[in-house]
Amino acid sequence: GRMKRLRRHGHESQRDRLKQELFQFNKTVEHGFPHQPSALGYSPSLQLLAIGTRSGAIKLYGAPGVEFMGLHDENAAVTQVHFLPRQVELVTLLDDNSLHMWTLRAHKGLSELLEIGRFTLTGPPGAPPSVTRVTAVLAHSSGELLLLGTEGGHVFIVEVPGFRELEERNISLDQISSSVPNDYIGRRNLEHVEALQENPVNPNQVVIGYGRGLMVIWDLKKRCAVQHIPATQQLESVWWTEDGSYILSSHSDGSYCRWMVGEEDMNEEEEKSDIPYGHFPCKAISKIVQLSTKEGPPFLVFSGGMPRASYGDRHCITVIHGKTHVALDFTSRIIDFFVIREDPSALVVLVEEELVAIDLQTEGWPVIQAPYLVPLHSSAITCSHHISVIPLKLWERIIAAGHLQNTHYSKKPWPITGGQNLAPDPPQRDLLLTGHEDGTVHFWDASGVCLYPLYKLSTAGVFHTDADPNDNMNQGTEGEWPPFRKVGCFDPYSDDPRLGIQKIHLCKYSGYLTVAGTAGQILVLELNDEAAEQTVEAKVVDLLQGQEGFRWKGHTQLDVREEPVLFPPGFQPFALVQCQPPAVVTALTLHSEWKLVAFGTSHGFGVYDYQQKNSVLIKCTLNPSDQLAMEGPLSRVKSIKKSLRQSFRRIRRSRVSLRNRVMHAPSLYCLKCSILSNLHCCLAPVQRKIEARSSDDSFTGLVRMLYFADTFLSDSSHHTPSLWAGTNGGCVFAYMLRFPPVEHRADEPVTAHPAKEIQLMHRAPVVGIVVLDGRGTPLPEPLEVAHDLARSPDMQGSHHLLVISEEQFKVFTLPKVSAKMKLKLTAVDGSRVRRVGVAWFGSSRSEDYGENGLLVLTNQGDVHVVSLPAVKMQVHYPCIRREDVSGIASCVFTKHGQGFYLISPSEFERFSLSTRHLVEPRCLVEPPPQSGTSTQHRPRPAYRYAHSEMLFYYGSYYILTVFMRLSSLPRNASQDGGHDAGKVFFRGL
């Protein structure tokens, strides 16, 4: 017995070591556009972009692959982001009035974003909160000071990075008021500090702009006002020109003014304002920037200022350069913008739903294509599909088709190039396909840290929609004023919700693609390098099979264009299947070797031969008592009564069952004993009983899973092509497929014959089906063996069928379909399976070793790995919050142990369970070179060096003294003696 225990212990420890080599959970990177951005910052010296969000996140971006993310502990929105000039630090201001210092610190050759300090202004005792409520922040060019303008009109000066307030240098409202002419102060309250700007040619001078319009140029060295600019309109922003000679101010009435610096105090009569968009009331110009050019007139850029009545709902940034005047019209609210002076000169705009860069050097000012921060949700994401290890030929053809779609972009490179991307080149080419509400499918390069757009497929051209395909939304009307130009790709409006893509399947070996939509449409497409004009004929499939008494209450099908349609190079449709009723397609799979597509809805499933363009199989799975299946997702009629009726029916059944047990029990003691004995016989000690689902529950006929397999169905000596279908009611259908000889494949029909039917005991929905060959390995994908990328399946040993329901994993032998083993999930911890996928986990220590596993996501948000073929739980990790239902529903697994899920409508979180396949940012940002100093140390004032040295010497002296005293104490010294020595130590500190 002892030897057995030792062997078992040795086996378990070996297995644990193997798990460490195979499995490791990491959340690696976030793809897409930050949800609800609220602040923007840019460092010209680091060439880094920073975005803050309403949830308290701070994200930094540089060259493609250079990304950092931080999260404030406070659940507060980031309102401002400011980089310290020529430093690797930045400051964030939250809406709870706290300031936070962040730094990019190098560790083991890589940079990481760390928070190193936080600070909140404190006013004098009894002062109202407005005195210290920060409204404007200026990071001084010295890199040592922060100027904080407040709601009370004061300007506090703080030393950074230590956040030490320099009280003697603060600029109080009383100091400003005493220097302003009495006639101005007498008529107006200055209000809050709206803007702070530094003189570009004299760092000792700053302009303080107050809400009521007054601007004061303050000398930090002399600590006095140099000039007063008494604007009369409410102030929105201030800009100091590069030569220091002018100040531009923008105002709430849609005007801007130009003020000369250096003259004596101006009078209000000298104010000359310009209202770019006319004589009717206009909206405020919230920000204004003027940049000089080497040759020619300067660029004037401002946001807002539109005529309030006619275009008050537009989100515009105006660019004026000489006689060229354009109003860039965005589809979401403008957060902030900045202009990059370096080559290429560009305007970078952050709006609520995307980031747009405009090339200001090229004629026409085209958009520069972004390598990251692309709005995944340009139309709402409805489904996702991941394909690993794309062949080079297919990859190049997709990229070539995408290039033809991007001719309107600028040829200039992305202007933000900070940091170094040190991540190794991706070992393989991966694609992520996202289906969208407007009927488009976006192809993304998911090989590395940047989720880069490659190609966009639109299916709307096959159908008649309300939109005119000849409409060009990017060009304004000739002579229109304001001169609008549509910018950006975010378009939240769908022409027809029936176009929405629900399922995608791509065969990477043949280039065939099938997509299915909301109105029961299934398109089969092939990749073509040339444009083609063709007609797509619809094959109508009646899934009800003539059943009477059912009336579809949902949406109608889409109308197919009868005339030929010109399709651009890329994926072009050549076959269309239309399900009747036109319900949402819930399952889809493609077998490109057999030229078959299988599809399913809430009413049944079918098989379509896209080579002969004929139906092979139609099976109705609709339960006669299920009326909810006849109501589409877009129907406004919701059968609440039926759901309530079913709930009460379950309660009544459980009560009746308990009452029957009580009636037949001779006594309470016998009842207790009988219940305990029944539970002891039926349930394992750690499991709880699950009530079987009723067969009249809603959507029991909904098809959840379709799977093609070449396996043994009739006998153990002849394998045959087959289709397996799993439903929401726990039923599995198996059909044998018979193919004509190869030479007659185009002429003779493919036939399907029912072979098996399995009904799971608890009628739990079937979410996965896998056939394991004689070696216990999942069957390879179609054409995978033909391309020498997988071993031929073992057809000598017996095959097994693995059926994954929401509640358990069950293995059946083939062809007898007898239960062999099972792994319960719901009975143990109450969770239910939501997503499954087969993955290969390679060892981190041995290139030649790896194991197949089953990736499982539950409704609790946990990710499990189940071994194959033993079907044993290996590891599990918490991944998604259980409350995040949409995130769990959006999860998609890869073939190499990674996954993606939506953490917001615009962002994917990427995670990995594999030790070998890990995609994460690895980058380095070095401090910019300082003039006359080392790049490793920034200059400090002399008094700070003296203070540091004093602390060092005195601190060292006291530490040595303490240790000498402690070492001189006897071993049994009293506690008080040790306490006294500790006092000396802390006093020294």
Side-chain angles (χ1 to χ4, degrees):
R2 184 171 180 271
M3 292 300 295
K4 286 183 179 178
R5 286 195 299 273
L6 288 173
R7 282 197 296 270
R8 184 167 63 249
H9 177 71
H11 178 73
E12 290 175 356
S13 61
Q14 182 181 2
R15 184 63 200 167
D16 290 340
R17 286 195 299 271
L18 191 57
K19 287 180 182 179
Q20 294 176 3
E21 295 178 16
L22 296 175
F23 311 116
Q24 180 181 355
F25 179 76
N26 290 286
K27 289 186 177 181
T28 56
V29 67
E30 294 178 1
H31 298 298
F33 184 78
H35 185 50
Q36 294 182 329
S38 54
L40 176 68
Y42 178 68
S43 170
S45 58
L46 296 176
Q47 293 192 350
L48 289 181
L49 164 81
I51 295 177
T53 70
R54 291 189 207 170
S55 60
I58 178 76
K59 298 188 176 186
L60 273 61
Y61 300 90
V66 177
E67 297 184 12
F68 302 94
M69 178 185 170
L71 188 64
H72 295 86
D73 294 335
E74 295 81 2
N75 187 19
V78 180
T79 57
Q80 296 187 44
V81 180
H82 299 273
F83 282 90
L84 300 188
R86 296 180 298 280
Q87 313 294 342
V88 289
E89 282 85 22
L90 66 152
V91 175
T92 55
L93 173 66
L94 307 189
D95 65 356
D96 64 357
N97 204 40
S98 62
L99 288 155
H100 301 255
M101 179 69 69
W102 298 81
T103 186
L104 289 167
R105 184 172 295 169
H107 178 67
K108 296 182 179 180
L110 299 175
S111 296
E112 53 187 1
L113 182 63
L114 299 173
E115 184 179 357
I116 58 173
R118 62 187 65 189
F119 173 73
T120 303
L121 273 177
T122 55
S130 62
V131 171
T132 54
R133 181 77 185 177
V134 179
T135 54
V137 178
L138 171 63
H140 194 262
S141 60
S142 64
E144 300 291 336
L145 301 176
L146 277 184
L147 277 70
L148 307 176
T150 65
E151 194 174 300
H154 306 282
V155 177
F156 294 84
I157 299 181
V158 176
E159 191 179 64
V160 289
F163 283 132
R164 188 171 72 91
E165 184 182 342
L166 304 177
E167 296 183 12
E168 69 280 1
R169 302 183 65 178
N170 289 344
I171 308 167
S172 69
L173 185 60
D174 293 338
Q175 289 176 279
I176 299 294
S177 300
S178 62
S179 65
V180 178
N182 292 330
D183 58 342
Y184 189 92
I185 288 294
R187 286 182 290 141
R188 296 178 181 86
N189 177 18
L190 297 182
E191 288 191 356
H192 62 281
V193 177
E194 182 66 47
L196 290 168
Q197 279 281 324
E198 181 181 339
N199 188 337
V201 297
N202 183 2
N204 288 321
Q205 289 185 356
V206 295
V207 59
I208 307 170
Y210 289 91
R212 277 293 176 92
L214 175 69
M215 288 166 280
V216 177
I217 298 178
W218 185 268
D219 192 300
L220 296 174
K221 190 174 182 180
K222 298 177 182 178
R223 301 182 189 178
C224 64
V226 176
Q227 184 178 346
H228 302 87
I229 304 172
T232 56
Q233 292 295 329
Q234 191 83 14
L235 185 68
E236 293 289 328
S237 74
V238 168
W239 179 260
W240 209 321
T241 58
E242 291 172 89
D243 58 3
S245 58
Y246 289 95
I247 288 177
L248 272 68
S249 61
S250 66
H251 301 275
S252 60
D253 63 344
S255 67
Y256 70 90
C257 305
R258 186 186 305 270
W259 312 89
M260 182 172 287
V261 176
E263 295 186 351
E264 296 181 357
D265 288 354
M266 300 180 180
N267 297 320
E268 295 176 14
E269 288 75 15
E270 299 178 20
E271 179 181 356
K272 294 181 180 179
S273 63
D274 186 0
I275 304 178
Y277 291 111
H279 308 287
F280 296 102
C282 294
K283 297 192 72 175
I285 295 179
S286 57
K287 183 175 180 178
I288 189 165
V289 171
Q290 178 179 297
L291 291 176
S292 61
T293 57
K294 294 179 180 178
E295 298 178 0
F299 279 94
L300 182 67
V301 185
F302 59 86
S303 59
M306 288 291 119
R308 189 177 296 275
S310 305
Y311 304 106
D313 58 342
R314 299 287 187 105
H315 312 288
C316 295
I317 287 185
T318 299
V319 183
I320 302 173
H321 181 242
K323 296 183 178 180
T324 308
H325 185 137
V326 173
L328 303 172
D329 189 7
F330 298 88
T331 55
S332 57
R333 185 174 61 90
I334 296 167
I335 305 297
D336 201 352
F337 70 89
F338 60 86
V339 180
I340 297 176
R341 292 296 312 272
E342 294 80 9
D343 188 20
S345 180
L347 167 66
V348 180
V349 185
L350 175 68
V351 294
E352 207 163 33
E353 305 294 350
E354 60 186 319
L355 182 81
V356 181
I358 310 293
D359 178 9
L360 296 179
Q361 284 185 320
T362 305
E363 186 179 357
W365 299 339
V367 174
I368 304 173
Q369 188 173 17
Y372 46 71
L373 290 174
V374 182
L376 305 175
H377 64 315
S378 53
S379 173
I381 296 176
T382 49
C383 66
S384 304
H385 178 61
H386 187 274
I387 311 99
S388 301
V389 195
I390 303 295
L392 179 60
K393 186 176 181 181
L394 176 64
W395 186 264
E396 291 175 342
R397 294 177 68 190
I398 292 174
I399 289 177
H403 280 325
L404 297 175
Q405 298 177 336
N406 297 332
T407 54
H408 61 285
Y409 284 117
S410 169
K411 300 295 188 288
K412 293 294 178 66
W414 182 245
I416 301 170
T417 58
Q420 305 172 46
N421 180 15
L422 302 180
D425 292 335
Q428 60 197 35
R429 294 171 294 273
D430 290 351
L431 274 179
L432 179 68
L433 275 59
T434 54
H436 296 262
E437 190 182 40
D438 61 354
T440 58
V441 178
H442 291 241
F443 288 64
W444 307 89
D445 178 2
S447 312
V449 172
C450 294
L451 197 64
Y452 187 76
L454 297 178
Y455 167 74
K456 184 174 80 170
L457 163 70
S458 176
T459 62
V462 181
F463 308 99
H464 286 287
T465 59
D466 295 335
D468 185 353
N470 296 320
D471 282 348
N472 190 347
M473 299 297 293
N474 289 328
Q475 300 300 326
T477 307
E478 186 71 26
E480 180 186 18
W481 185 261
F484 290 118
R485 192 183 107 195
K486 282 285 184 183
V487 177
C489 59
F490 176 73
D491 182 10
Y493 306 107
S494 174
D495 298 323
D496 194 329
R498 296 175 298 173
L499 289 169
I501 305 297
Q502 298 296 327
K503 295 292 176 182
I504 307 171
H505 194 110
L506 171 67
C507 175
K508 61 186 178 183
Y509 303 109
S510 63
Y512 283 108
L513 170 70
T514 179
V515 297
T518 303
Q521 71 272 24
I522 299 102
L523 282 166
V524 187
L525 309 96
E526 62 181 339
L527 190 56
N528 192 346
D529 299 329
E530 303 292 335
E533 189 175 21
Q534 57 195 34
T535 303
V536 182
E537 296 182 2
K539 173 70 176 178
V540 179
V541 173
D542 182 13
L543 292 175
L544 293 181
Q545 291 290 283
Q547 291 199 28
E548 298 180 356
F550 292 100
R551 186 171 61 88
W552 174 246
K553 302 176 184 178
H555 50 268
T556 60
Q557 70 181 53
L558 287 162
D559 296 326
V560 183
R561 293 183 183 272
E562 298 178 356
E563 69 277 8
V565 179
L566 179 62
F567 295 103
F571 284 93
Q572 300 171 351
F574 66 92
L576 170 63
V577 179
Q578 178 60 59
C579 296
Q580 287 294 348
V584 173
V585 177
T586 56
L588 183 71
T589 188
L590 168 74
H591 201 296
S592 53
E593 192 173 357
W594 299 343
K595 302 291 192 296
L596 298 179
V597 170
F599 52 89
T601 70
S602 55
H603 307 120
F605 61 91
V607 178
Y608 177 74
D609 180 354
Y610 61 81
Q611 183 176 2
Q612 297 185 15
K613 297 187 178 181
N614 283 325
S615 295
V616 175
L617 166 67
I618 302 173
K619 168 69 176 176
C620 180
T621 57
L622 188 65
N623 191 319
S625 63
D626 189 3
Q627 289 294 329
L628 272 183
M630 300 310 292
E631 298 180 7
L634 305 181
S635 173
R636 299 191 178 189
V637 181
K638 301 297 180 184
S639 184
I640 300 175
K641 290 183 179 179
K642 180 163 184 178
S643 61
L644 289 172
R645 197 162 51 241
Q646 289 169 348
S647 300
F648 283 117
R649 197 173 295 158
R650 290 194 193 96
I651 296 171
R652 197 178 300 119
R653 277 202 304 269
S654 61
R655 286 178 177 174
V656 170
S657 175
L658 182 60
R659 192 183 303 118
N660 289 339
R661 291 184 187 179
V662 174
M663 288 174 63
H664 288 89
S667 66
L668 184 62
Y669 176 79
C670 295
L671 172 65
K672 180 179 179 182
C673 292
S674 63
I675 293 175
L676 289 175
S677 62
N678 288 336
L679 289 174
H680 182 73
C681 296
C682 299
L683 303 178
V686 295
Q687 297 174 357
R688 61 182 181 83
K689 189 174 181 180
I690 304 171
E691 183 181 352
R693 305 186 188 202
S694 170
S695 60
D696 65 351
D697 280 355
S698 297
F699 295 108
T700 55
L702 185 145
V703 179
R704 295 283 294 268
M705 182 67 194
L706 291 165
Y707 180 74
F708 284 114
D710 188 357
T711 187
F712 301 94
L713 271 182
S714 56
D715 55 67
S716 56
S717 56
H718 299 90
H719 57 89
T720 178
S722 62
L723 171 73
W724 300 79
T727 70
N728 215 41
C731 192
V732 178
F733 301 94
Y735 281 79
M736 285 192 297
L737 303 173
R738 300 191 188 277
F739 289 86
V742 177
E743 58 272 15
H744 299 292
R745 174 65 179 86
D747 307 320
E748 298 181 10
V750 180
T751 57
H753 308 276
K756 308 287 182 183
E757 185 173 336
I758 307 169
Q759 178 62 63
L760 300 180
M761 183 183 302
H762 294 303
R763 301 180 185 275
V766 177
V767 295
I769 298 173
V770 180
V771 172
L772 307 174
D773 68 4
R775 292 186 292 264
T777 304
L779 295 182
E781 296 180 11
L783 296 175
E784 192 174 9
V785 175
H787 285 75
D788 297 326
L789 295 173
R791 282 198 303 176
S792 298
D794 184 0
M795 294 298 184
Q796 303 302 319
S798 59
H799 285 198
H800 292 86
L801 172 70
L802 172 60
V803 177
I804 303 110
S805 73
E806 283 190 354
E807 298 177 359
Q808 64 184 10
F809 309 83
K810 199 163 188 177
V811 179
F812 300 88
T813 60
L814 291 177
K816 292 184 179 180
V817 194
S818 57
K820 182 179 180 181
M821 66 179 82
K822 63 182 174 182
L823 172 65
K824 296 181 179 180
L825 184 70
T826 306
V828 176
D829 60 9
S831 58
R832 296 181 184 274
V833 178
R834 287 289 179 259
R835 286 284 185 273
V836 292
V838 176
W840 169 260
F841 294 92
S843 171
S844 59
R845 296 184 180 179
S846 173
E847 288 288 333
D848 302 327
Y849 183 77
E851 293 182 4
N852 283 302
L854 199 66
L855 284 168
V856 180
L857 176 68
T858 70
N859 63 335
Q860 306 295 319
D862 297 334
V863 179
H864 301 254
V865 178
V866 178
S867 65
L868 294 176
V871 193
K872 292 184 178 180
M873 199 68 71
Q874 298 297 300
V875 291
H876 74 277
Y877 306 96
C879 182
I880 310 174
R881 292 183 301 106
R882 61 185 299 177
E883 300 84 11
D884 189 2
V885 178
S886 59
I888 293 173
S890 66
C891 183
V892 57
F893 292 121
T894 78
K895 297 291 185 182
H896 292 89
Q898 298 184 66
F900 301 80
Y901 69 94
L902 288 172
I903 55 175
S904 74
S906 58
E907 291 172 289
F908 273 114
E909 175 89 68
R910 187 173 191 147
F911 63 91
S912 174
L913 291 154
S914 172
T915 56
R916 185 182 294 182
H917 291 87
L918 196 65
V919 176
E920 61 181 351
R922 296 176 61 84
C923 37
L924 176 65
V925 175
E926 296 180 342
Q930 307 287 344
S931 56
T933 59
S934 168
T935 60
Q936 299 300 320
H937 304 282
R938 59 183 177 201
R940 300 289 188 195
Y943 72 88
R944 293 193 62 179
Y945 275 120
H947 184 64
S948 301
E949 290 171 1
M950 181 178 66
L951 276 177
F952 175 78
Y953 286 120
Y954 278 93
S956 302
Y957 170 78
Y958 275 108
I959 290 170
L960 287 172
T961 304
V962 169
F963 276 107
M964 289 174 66
R965 288 195 59 179
L966 287 175
S967 61
S968 65
L969 288 173
R971 189 178 298 272
N972 59 351
S974 69
Q975 188 174 358
D976 292 339
H979 184 66
D980 290 339
K983 279 183 179 179
V984 178
F985 175 74
F986 286 112
R987 194 180 300 121
L989 288 183

